[in-house]
Amino acid sequence: MSFVGSYTHSLDAKKRVFIPAKFREELGEEFYITRKFEPYLSVYTADDWAQYVDLISTLPESDALVLQEYLLSNAQKCTPDSSGRIIIDEKLAQHAKITKSIVFAGTGKQIKIWAEEIWNERESNRNLEEIRELMRRYGL
């Protein structure tokens, strides 16, 4: 499974957002959202989430605790409604600075959720020479 493409959707008056149809199929009936270190959210399928949680639990206890508290305690289990909408938890929305428009960006094994303004700024500031050099270095 590989999530590709980017899609923009807006929160409605009840703070619901449509999960892009192309992603809903691959995500399945249930998926997970958590925060990361930059102002975006990561979306995992149920299977990938289980592997992620299992991996964290294999770490030394003190390291696992730090990650569990940061990543897992603020995670959200999602089941879209019959229209394919979810409500993003308020703490997660604040972390990602989401107020209205959201970009769902496929990045291979996961989907990243960005506030549209932040995503657009990142897109306009991409260093194409750096990307070209990385692609050349790795034969892509």
Side-chain angles (χ1 to χ4, degrees):
M1 153 181 4
S2 182
F3 296 106
V4 296
S6 60
Y7 306 90
T8 303
H9 290 277
S10 294
L11 294 174
D12 67 14
K14 295 182 180 179
K15 297 197 175 195
R16 298 173 299 195
V17 65
F18 284 100
I19 299 299
K22 294 199 182 226
F23 291 160
R24 271 197 315 266
E25 264 184 48
E26 291 187 50
L27 284 171
E29 298 285 320
E30 168 182 298
F31 54 89
Y32 293 81
I33 300 174
T34 193
R35 64 185 176 177
K36 290 294 177 102
F37 306 104
E38 291 187 52
Y40 70 85
L41 305 175
S42 289
V43 182
Y44 293 88
T45 65
D47 289 344
D48 286 343
W49 181 254
Q51 290 176 6
Y52 192 58
V53 171
D54 287 347
L55 179 61
I56 291 171
S57 70
T58 66
L59 301 174
E61 187 175 349
S62 61
D63 293 340
L65 181 62
V66 170
L67 293 174
Q68 288 164 338
E69 288 178 354
Y70 184 79
L71 298 168
L72 306 183
S73 70
N74 285 289
Q76 176 183 356
K77 181 178 180 178
C78 297
T79 305
D81 67 15
S82 60
S83 298
R85 299 171 298 193
I86 62 165
I87 296 175
I88 296 175
D89 179 81
E90 185 61 33
K91 284 188 242 176
L92 291 175
Q94 285 176 2
H95 171 78
K97 300 180 171 128
I98 293 169
T99 56
K100 185 67 179 160
S101 292
I102 298 172
V103 174
F104 293 86
T107 60
K109 290 282 285 174
Q110 63 179 275
I111 300 164
K112 293 182 179 176
I113 299 175
W114 293 88
E116 183 179 30
E117 304 81 29
I118 296 172
W119 175 257
N120 289 342
E121 183 178 328
R122 289 176 65 82
E123 282 289 281
S124 67
N125 291 321
R126 297 234 186 258
N127 182 333
L128 298 181
E129 288 306 314
E130 178 185 16
I131 294 168
R132 184 185 330 268
E133 175 56 26
L134 286 171
M135 292 179 77
R136 186 200 60 72
R137 185 181 316 155
Y138 295 107
L140 300 173

